Amino acid sequence: MIDNAIATTGTGVVAGLGYAPALWVKPAPILPHSTDAVVAEEAREAEIARWKAAVETVAARLAARAAAATGAAAEVLEATAALAADKGLQRTTVKLIAAGSTAEAGTVTAIAAFIAKFEKLGGLMAERATDLGDIRNRVISALLGLPEPGVPTPLTPIILLAEDLAPADTATLDPALIHGIATRLGGPTSHTAIIARQLGIPCVVAAADLADIPDGTLVLIDGAAGTVAVGADPAEAEAKVLTDAARRKAVQSWQGPGRTKDGTAVEILANVQDGAGARAAAQFPAQGVGLFRTELCFLSAQHEPSVAEQASIYGEVLAAFPGQKVVIRTLDAGSDKPVPFVAHPDEENPALGVRGIRLGNADQGLLERQLDAVALAAEQQGVTAAKVMAPMVATIDEARNFAAACRSRKLSPGLMVEVPSVALLADAFLAEVDFMSIGTNDLTQYTMAADRMAPSLAALTDPWQPAVLHLIRLAAMAGASAQKPVGVCGEAAADPLLACILVGLGLTSLSMAPNAVAAVGLQLESVTLEQCQRAAVAVLRCTTARAARATARELLS
Amino acid sequence: MTTQTVVVGSPVGLHARPAALIAKAAGAYDEEILLVLDGEEADAASSLMIMTLGADFGASVTVESENADAVAEIASLIAKDLDA
């Protein structure tokens, strides 16, 4: 019998399990409220000695941590240690204490003066203000005999608990010792989440009841489920963690290319939004780009970027995947994602308004110039028949006009399947273009008539909804009979289990966030095409999303 | 008193790493070494004081000290790209 009580549930941001004692990031000390107290003249020398001893302690601790660290972390710590022992800081503080300040007040006043100067200088200098604040907190804690504030340096593995982590806290996180991170605040894009993802540490953020877990409690963190549990059976928890660690290691070493156990090829591609993102994606075992969102270069621009400017941005993405597939999606903007230089009408319901290809009704030139830029980039990069697809297509006429505009520039036209009308008439749409790609997020929102941004409708905006899966099947069947590629480029493709169902339905490519590529590739490699097809048939018979998910799990794992 | 005026050679200006390297070198001398920019003085042995000058790439900084060797060494450091 396991007493596996869930202590708190938050948002899981880095999948993986960790089991170790909890250790809290120690809060910053409370700074002295007033700096007015005057130390008697005869005690001032002793006060200066007390201050010097505290600074030496702080500098020595930082130097010891620097010696134990390597690379960038060691450099950061060495620099902080040098700053703590800085001669100018010492002179300023000693002068204040010699004039009667307490050591605490002198520290606060001296560092506040430097912080004010740096903030006034701005830019890079302002970043030093954070370092000085960190040093001030360490010195005050040492003066008051409090534990060192900030991230503790454990000797054995721990699960790190914090309100939220600051950049300075994360410079020295060691994945060998930090087996999990849970924070009470923060979100999926917080600094904590970004660092945990980089380091591959299981992480849960926004776990509201975290404060109830004291230091030393054995906790089991599940970064996929977003749970932090206490009271797990130790043997069972450790076995689970070992299995999970082996799985994560296998994911890390997966190299591609995508295929099922029996060798059926499935293209596993990355979604990107600019050149930097494409270069980062190329570090993952992705076989190309299945969705290049071109919005980014428009959303931040006050004026429409020229054809040459656009071509240079598109060229960067093409260059990141030389000789590989890159699908460029034309501008997908609307009144919810407004582009500054396009007049968007006031809309009651922007998700159903003038978006994507429909912008052409307002300004056909915008699309023409974007296609010119893609053609120019393709020519510069030596890419023939570059793939371009249009978002929010709903009618055959839109598809036909888009295809003609692409073909006149020797580009290969494709469509996004987002509006259910395209899935329902997939054969007719596919006759107009060379390929289709299913945007599962929008297809789900339009099929279920549920706003994908509304958290209370999450059960409806679930790609496992049977009606959505049936529409995906229609598109896949059209692809098979026309012998044209039909893939998926939405969140659904990043779910390893659903990815197998999509392959079973007959889709030929899966495009996802770059960091999901390896987990999906590994899962596909563990099943045969026949298994996927059988599971897909079984899932299509399910009448609820929950049953669909359970059926897939049973048949595929 | 020896003085020498040089142009800052580090593209980031006399910021974190360059300031720390200059302070370390200046700390090795017993004599006081001052950096002067636009009438503002800073102790060259303190990286914090150096940074408060806000000396950008290309700024002209004057080094002053009783020790001529110290002036020569610190001036040559300022002229270098210390962030490379």
Side-chain angles (χ1 to χ4, degrees):
Chain A
M1 178 67 202
I2 7 154
D3 171 25
N4 201 351
I6 304 292
T8 175
T9 301
T11 308
V13 290
V14 182
L17 294 179
Y19 182 63
L23 191 57
W24 278 87
V25 170
K26 299 293 173 287
I30 296 164
L31 303 177
H33 284 301
S34 154
T35 50
D36 301 341
V38 178
V39 175
E41 221 166 319
E42 61 274 18
R44 289 178 191 172
E45 206 161 308
E47 192 69 1
I48 289 169
R50 191 167 78 87
W51 178 80
K52 281 188 174 167
V55 168
E56 270 166 33
T57 305
V58 168
R61 277 182 192 155
L62 288 166
R65 283 175 63 196
T70 54
E75 234 171 84
V76 168
L77 287 167
E78 264 167 39
T80 313
L83 223 48
D86 186 86
K87 216 176 143 188
L89 180 60
Q90 177 171 342
R91 189 175 302 156
T92 314
T93 316
V94 167
K95 206 190 261 176
L96 286 162
I97 302 174
S101 278
T102 61
E104 288 86 353
T107 305
V108 169
T109 310
I111 287 185
F114 278 107
I115 287 179
K117 277 184 197 165
F118 287 147
E119 282 176 347
K120 203 170 152 211
L121 287 167
L124 279 174
M125 299 294 181
E127 289 171 23
R128 295 281 77 74
T130 316
D131 300 350
L132 282 172
D134 179 48
I135 289 168
R136 175 198 57 211
N137 292 346
R138 288 174 189 283
V139 173
I140 297 288
S141 292
L143 284 169
L144 299 176
L146 296 172
E148 211 179 351
V151 174
T153 320
L155 300 172
T156 53
I158 56 146
I159 306 293
L160 189 67
L161 307 187
E163 286 294 294
D164 201 0
L165 294 176
D169 294 330
T170 53
T172 60
L173 293 183
D174 178 358
L177 290 171
I178 312 288
H179 284 194
I181 299 174
T183 62
R184 207 175 64 76
L185 306 173
T189 58
S190 64
H191 187 78
T192 303
I194 292 164
I195 288 290
R197 211 168 279 136
Q198 271 172 17
L199 295 174
I201 299 175
C203 179
V204 175
V205 298
D209 299 323
L210 204 63
D212 298 342
I213 303 176
D215 269 357
T217 316
L218 273 167
V219 297
L220 177 64
I221 180 172
D222 183 338
T227 56
V228 182
V230 299
D233 176 69
E236 199 160 313
E238 271 158 28
K240 275 190 195 167
V241 168
L242 278 180
T243 313
D244 177 69
R247 186 195 60 82
R248 276 195 281 156
K249 208 170 157 203
V251 165
Q252 269 169 17
S253 58
W254 189 81
Q255 286 303 323
R259 58 178 168 238
T260 56
K261 197 174 179 179
D262 55 317
T264 308
V266 179
E267 281 180 305
I268 301 191
L269 310 164
N271 296 346
V272 307
Q273 58 180 7
D274 58 11
R279 287 187 289 275
Q283 304 302 310
F284 292 89
Q287 293 160 261
V289 172
L291 169 63
F292 166 23
R293 301 183 175 98
T294 55
E295 289 80 78
L296 195 69
C297 69
F298 289 95
L299 293 177
S300 54
Q302 284 309 305
H303 304 283
E304 182 184 338
S306 70
V307 168
E309 279 165 346
Q310 290 186 44
S312 106
I313 295 168
Y314 306 154
E316 277 190 52
V317 174
L318 292 172
F321 286 89
Q324 290 174 294
K325 180 174 181 174
V326 174
V327 180
I328 301 171
R329 182 179 70 186
T330 56
L331 182 60
D332 186 14
S335 59
D336 53 338
K337 270 196 282 187
V339 174
F341 50 85
V342 174
H344 297 284
D346 260 337
E347 291 174 321
E348 291 282 336
N349 202 344
L352 301 177
V354 180
R355 283 187 54 196
I357 191 101
R358 298 171 186 179
L359 280 177
N361 298 332
D363 181 1
Q364 180 63 28
L366 192 61
L367 176 65
E368 299 279 342
R369 288 185 291 277
Q370 192 174 19
L371 293 178
D372 285 342
V374 173
L376 178 59
E379 191 192 321
Q380 287 168 347
Q381 298 294 327
V383 176
T384 49
K387 296 178 173 57
V388 193
M389 65 180 175
M392 278 299 280
V393 170
T395 68
I396 299 283
D397 280 343
E398 285 166 347
R400 194 171 287 156
N401 292 339
F402 178 74
C406 289
R407 292 198 209 280
S408 71
R409 293 171 174 83
K410 299 201 165 52
L411 301 173
S412 172
L415 296 180
M416 291 281 290
V417 183
E418 295 166 302
V419 182
S421 64
V422 180
L424 290 167
L425 299 180
D427 289 309
F429 276 94
L430 202 47
E432 302 295 333
V433 294
D434 296 345
F435 66 94
M436 296 203 298
S437 184
I438 304 169
T440 46
N441 301 345
D442 275 331
L443 181 61
T444 307
Q445 127 164 310
Y446 296 136
T447 303
M448 303 308 294
D451 185 347
R452 60 191 261 197
M453 309 309 260
S456 58
L457 301 179
L460 289 175
T461 52
D462 180 341
W464 286 92
Q465 282 290 349
V468 177
L469 295 173
H470 277 270
L471 286 175
I472 292 175
R473 174 172 162 268
L474 290 179
M477 286 189 344
S481 69
Q483 301 214 321
K484 289 180 179 176
V486 177
V488 160
C489 61
E491 297 288 322
D495 172 347
L497 207 55
L498 188 45
C500 295
I501 300 297
L502 296 173
V503 169
L505 288 171
L507 299 174
T508 55
S509 69
L510 303 168
S511 192
M512 63 204 74
N515 59 5
V517 161
V520 169
L522 189 71
Q523 171 75 30
L524 267 182
E525 237 171 50
S526 72
V527 292
T528 62
L529 178 61
E530 205 201 328
Q531 259 182 299
C532 293
Q533 287 167 336
R534 253 194 247 160
V537 169
V539 161
L540 286 174
R541 284 200 203 104
C542 294
T543 49
T544 67
R546 190 186 302 158
R549 207 180 250 117
T551 302
R553 186 166 294 134
E554 193 188 315
L555 293 174
L556 291 167
S557 50
Chain B
M1 178 74 76
T2 311
T3 69
Q4 189 179 339
T5 299
V6 278
V7 170
V8 174
S10 297
V12 294
L14 297 186
H15 183 235
R17 197 175 143 79
L21 290 171
I22 291 167
K24 201 172 167 196
Y29 291 96
D30 293 333
E31 295 86 355
E32 190 175 49
I33 308 165
L34 290 177
L35 304 188
V36 188
L37 174 72
D38 298 335
E40 293 265 345
E41 284 184 359
D43 180 351
S46 160
S47 72
L48 279 177
M49 300 301 280
I50 295 173
M51 285 192 277
T52 58
L53 285 177
D56 292 327
F57 176 63
S60 287
V61 174
T62 304
V63 188
E64 290 182 13
S65 177
E66 296 295 338
N67 184 328
D69 292 343
V71 170
E73 183 184 348
I74 298 304
S76 82
L77 279 176
I78 292 171
K80 266 193 222 163
D81 176 4
L82 295 174
D83 209 44

